[in-house]
Amino acid sequence: MNAIICKAGAPETLLPLTCTRGVADCVAANRTVLELQQETLQRAGFALGAADRNLCLYLRGDAWLSEEVLAELRQATAPMQVLDHDGVQLAWLNTSEDLPPAALELNTDAKAAFRLVYPWDLLKLNEILVGGLSQ
């Protein structure tokens, strides 16, 4: 299954971190958000690239999905969406870039799927990634 990371821009809520760069270029655990998203998607079995006529994962560039959430999405056979605790769509599976109108919702907790809205969200991501390291 292919995955596409949608551009997120440089939201003002992440200032001063986004004064000269977008969310994708912000750093957590010594990697850019884009690199982290790409690596996590690939570990979960997604191919990075263009959409095809099959189900494809569209991930917001300012969203973080855990490997567990990605594994569930990888097994899906119908359009599905992941919402954060505020009801904002973080990712969706569909055969086109359009948001699926009547897709199944994947319920997650705030640690497994969240938006990078404020600087402390990058700290949260950093804590998750560094906490998952083993010697």
Side-chain angles (χ1 to χ4, degrees):
M1 184 180 296
N2 287 346
I4 296 173
I5 301 171
C6 305
K7 293 190 185 251
E12 287 185 15
T13 56
L14 271 169
L15 288 174
L17 300 174
T18 54
C19 284
T20 59
R21 61 183 163 211
V23 174
D25 297 319
C26 289
V27 177
N30 205 32
R31 307 295 300 242
T32 66
V33 170
L34 179 62
E35 290 171 335
L36 292 165
Q37 287 175 320
Q38 290 172 336
E39 291 167 7
T40 304
L41 286 166
Q42 288 174 328
R43 276 194 308 270
F46 288 92
L48 301 173
D52 56 22
R53 291 161 51 166
N54 299 314
L55 278 179
C56 183
L57 174 67
Y58 295 89
L59 173 65
R60 289 176 57 129
D62 62 349
W64 179 256
L65 301 182
S66 69
E67 288 187 44
E68 293 79 19
V69 172
L70 290 171
E72 286 188 55
L73 290 169
R74 182 80 174 84
Q75 301 302 318
T77 58
M80 185 175 272
Q81 60 184 346
V82 179
L83 307 176
D84 71 3
H85 63 278
D86 291 326
V88 176
Q89 199 165 37
L90 302 177
W92 62 96
L93 283 174
N94 204 4
T95 54
S96 70
E97 190 175 347
D98 301 328
L99 303 176
L104 298 171
E105 289 183 18
L106 180 60
N107 294 320
T108 64
D109 64 26
K111 196 171 183 178
F114 57 93
R115 281 189 317 153
L116 302 170
V117 180
Y118 301 106
W120 51 86
D121 293 324
L122 286 167
L123 291 174
K124 177 180 176 179
L125 177 58
N126 189 69
E127 288 175 7
I128 290 169
L129 296 170
V130 171
L133 292 176
S134 59
Q135 293 189 13

